[in-house]
């Protein structure tokens, strides 16, 4: 790749194989990618003397709209955005997004030299896309948005590997677990984060892509043992909650269900601390007087979390959430402390 690609440092904006969940992201009905660049000519209207094509340009080398890619395609030279005319950059952007949908087995024993070269090429392509998103408003068209979401879903939504730690552990005391695919995942997370925080993004257009299923996919990934991935997910979920108001009730409900399963079934979830940090910000934004459903959340979800065995790992975040409720409504203090709630849990 050209040296013009910008490096993304290990400490990106903020800051675990392979099962595609493409059902979470789909193309809008009726969308025909690249249709503006193609002329529809009926068979009987074709010229009997077609023009002879000159040397094939780099733009013409881009695959058709319905083409799919394989690892061999990653080994072919892809033109840079700088050397592509303005009129062809959106098409090139989509082409690079589709190339980044090619997935790899990250087991070192199964990787050939060709695979390693293709992996590095994909990483460089992802860096190009991150840079291009920050410079071009054309990536926020309906056509491009559908392709961005397809690439994000293909790379992020996967079956998490078996847990290394069978019980919840303090990340400061145990050796960290790193996701093998992180060299790609990190850049995909950074790309998506920059994408959704952009002021040029049309929230109404995104409703068909960032929906309840998409949010549930992100919440499932929060059980990753890689703390770096959970940090990105925490930030992204918080941004989605702030920007997509129609999903706020669903996000709160989904977090509640995750906690119910944690309290009464598994007592193991790597993302409890991050979920509580998200909740701390949500609770601080609750309007006063508090709604009955919010008070019920305190009594039926947050208070029972004090009795689980790994309480020490997330006690600080849990205490902050409970304190936020009491600050919002002082009448909850007796119920929390003496009203057969907190005291009863420790008896």
């Amino acid at each position: 790749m050209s040296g013009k690609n910008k490096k993304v440092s290990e400490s990106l904006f903020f800051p675990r194989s392979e099962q595609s969940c493409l059902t979470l992201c789909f193309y809008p009905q009726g969308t025909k990618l690249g249709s503006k660049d193609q002329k529809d000519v009926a068979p009987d209207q074709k010229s009997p003397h077609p023009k002879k094509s000159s040397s094939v340009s780099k733009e013409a080398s881009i695959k058709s709209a319905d083409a799919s890619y394989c690892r061999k395609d990653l080994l072919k030279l892809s033109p840079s955005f700088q050397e592509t005319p303005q009129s062809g950059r959106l098409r090139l952007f989509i082409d690079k997004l589709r190339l980044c949908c090619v997935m790899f087995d990250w087991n070192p024993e199964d990787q050939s030299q060709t695979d390693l070269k293709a992996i590095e090429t994909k990483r460089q392509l992802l860096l190009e896309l991150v840079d291009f998103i920050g410079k071009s408003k054309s990536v926020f068209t309906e056509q491009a948005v559908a392709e961005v979401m397809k690439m994000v879903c293909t790379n992020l939504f996967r079956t998490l590997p078996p847990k290394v730690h069978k019980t919840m552990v303090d990340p400061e005391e145990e050796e960290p677990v790193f996701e093998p695919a992180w060299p790609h995942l990190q850049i995909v997370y950074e790309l998506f984060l920059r994408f959704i925080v952009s002021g040029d993004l049309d929230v109404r257009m995104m409703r068909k892509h960032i929906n309840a299923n998409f949010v549930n996919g992100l919440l499932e990934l929060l059980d990753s043992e890689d703390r770096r991935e959970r940090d990105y997910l925490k930030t992204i979920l918080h941004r989605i909650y702030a920007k997509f108001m129609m999903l706020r009730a669903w996000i709160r409900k989904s977090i509640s269900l995750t906690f119910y399963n944690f309290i009464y079934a598994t007592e193991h979830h790597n993302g409890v601390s991050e979920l509580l940090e998200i909740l701390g910000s949500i609770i601080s934004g609750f309007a006063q007087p508090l709604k009955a459903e919010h008070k019920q959340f305190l009594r039926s979800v947050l208070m029972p979390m004090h009795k689980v065995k790994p309480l020490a790992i997330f006690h600080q975040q849990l205490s902050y959430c409970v304190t936020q409720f009491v600050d919002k409504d002082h009448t909850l203090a007796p119920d929390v402390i003496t009203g057969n709630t907190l005291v009863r849990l420790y008896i």
Side-chain angles (χ1 to χ4, degrees), residues 47-56:
S47 171
H49 303 289
K51 296 181 180 180
K52 293 183 179 180
S53 59
S54 57
S55 58
V56 180

Side-chain angles (χ1 to χ4, degrees), residues 96-115:
K96 290 179 183 290
L97 284 169
R98 290 175 176 172
L99 280 169
C100 289
C101 288
V102 177
M103 304 301 290
F104 296 92
D105 185 349
W106 288 86
N107 184 355
E109 298 179 356
D110 298 330
Q111 291 177 350
S112 64
Q113 289 299 320
T114 301
D115 290 334

Side-chain angles (χ1 to χ4, degrees), residues 192-242:
F192 184 56
L193 180 58
R194 295 189 183 192
F195 189 74
I196 61 172
V197 300
S198 174
D200 297 316
L201 184 65
D202 187 347
V203 175
R204 291 174 296 180
M205 183 194 306
M206 291 298 295
R207 288 178 181 177
K208 66 182 70 174
H209 303 290
I210 298 183
N211 49 31
N213 284 335
F214 184 84
V215 168
N216 284 345
L218 295 179
L219 288 172
E220 290 179 6
L221 291 175
L222 264 172
D223 200 18
S224 169
E225 288 191 288
D226 194 323
R227 187 175 182 179
R228 301 169 300 179
E229 182 169 18
R230 299 199 305 269
D231 282 340
Y232 264 109
L233 288 164
K234 175 184 67 176
T235 304
I236 288 172
L237 281 167
H238 188 270
R239 298 292 185 178
I240 290 176
Y241 188 91

Side-chain angles (χ1 to χ4, degrees), residues 28-267:
Q29 188 174 3
T31 301
K32 295 183 179 180
L33 301 177
S35 58
K36 293 182 180 179
D37 299 327
Q38 300 172 355
K39 294 183 179 179
D40 298 326
V41 181
D44 58 344
Q45 294 177 337
K46 290 182 179 179
S47 171
H49 303 289
K51 296 181 180 180
K52 293 183 179 180
S53 59
S54 57
S55 58
V56 180
S57 66
K58 291 181 180 179
E59 291 178 70
S61 66
I62 297 176
K63 285 194 174 185
S64 64
D66 297 326
S68 58
Y69 290 96
C70 62
R71 297 180 187 182
K72 291 182 179 179
D73 294 307
L74 281 168
L75 301 177
K76 300 175 183 178
L77 182 63
S78 176
S80 67
F81 289 109
Q82 291 84 353
E83 59 189 4
T84 302
Q86 190 70 32
S87 59
R89 291 184 180 180
L90 177 59
R91 185 75 181 274
L92 180 61
F93 177 71
I94 292 174
D95 185 61
K96 290 179 183 290
L97 284 169
R98 290 175 176 172
L99 280 169
C100 289
C101 288
V102 177
M103 304 301 290
F104 296 92
D105 185 349
W106 288 86
N107 184 355
E109 298 179 356
D110 298 330
Q111 291 177 350
S112 64
Q113 289 299 320
T114 301
D115 290 334
L116 292 174
K117 184 176 180 181
I119 286 172
E120 175 59 21
T121 300
K122 177 178 175 179
R123 191 184 74 86
Q124 293 294 334
L125 285 173
L126 287 167
L127 292 174
E128 282 191 74
L129 293 173
V130 172
D131 183 51
F132 187 71
I133 280 181
K135 295 180 179 179
S136 175
K137 292 185 178 182
S138 62
V139 302
F140 299 103
T141 63
E142 186 171 359
Q143 180 186 23
V145 165
E147 293 288 345
V148 168
M149 295 305 299
K150 177 187 174 184
M151 188 276 290
V152 169
C153 290
T154 301
N155 281 271
L156 297 187
F157 295 139
R158 66 203 189 280
T159 300
L160 294 175
K163 291 181 171 62
V164 175
H165 302 297
K166 302 307 178 183
T167 58
M168 291 180 64
V169 295
D170 190 334
E172 303 297 334
E173 298 179 359
E174 296 291 337
E175 185 175 349
V177 177
F178 298 121
E179 168 62 48
W182 189 246
H184 287 176
L185 288 175
Q186 180 185 25
I187 310 175
V188 175
Y189 275 120
E190 179 67 18
L191 182 150
F192 184 56
L193 180 58
R194 295 189 183 192
F195 189 74
I196 61 172
V197 300
S198 174
D200 297 316
L201 184 65
D202 187 347
V203 175
R204 291 174 296 180
M205 183 194 306
M206 291 298 295
R207 288 178 181 177
K208 66 182 70 174
H209 303 290
I210 298 183
N211 49 31
N213 284 335
F214 184 84
V215 168
N216 284 345
L218 295 179
L219 288 172
E220 290 179 6
L221 291 175
L222 264 172
D223 200 18
S224 169
E225 288 191 288
D226 194 323
R227 187 175 182 179
R228 301 169 300 179
E229 182 169 18
R230 299 199 305 269
D231 282 340
Y232 264 109
L233 288 164
K234 175 184 67 176
T235 304
I236 288 172
L237 281 167
H238 188 270
R239 298 292 185 178
I240 290 176
Y241 188 91
K243 203 160 192 174
F244 298 86
M245 297 184 65
M246 69 284 187
L247 288 174
R248 290 183 177 181
W250 180 263
I251 292 174
R252 294 196 302 268
K253 179 181 178 181
S254 297
I255 292 177
S256 297
L257 292 175
T258 301
F259 283 157
Y260 277 130
N261 186 59
F262 169 69
I263 297 168
Y264 300 107
T266 66
E267 288 198 351

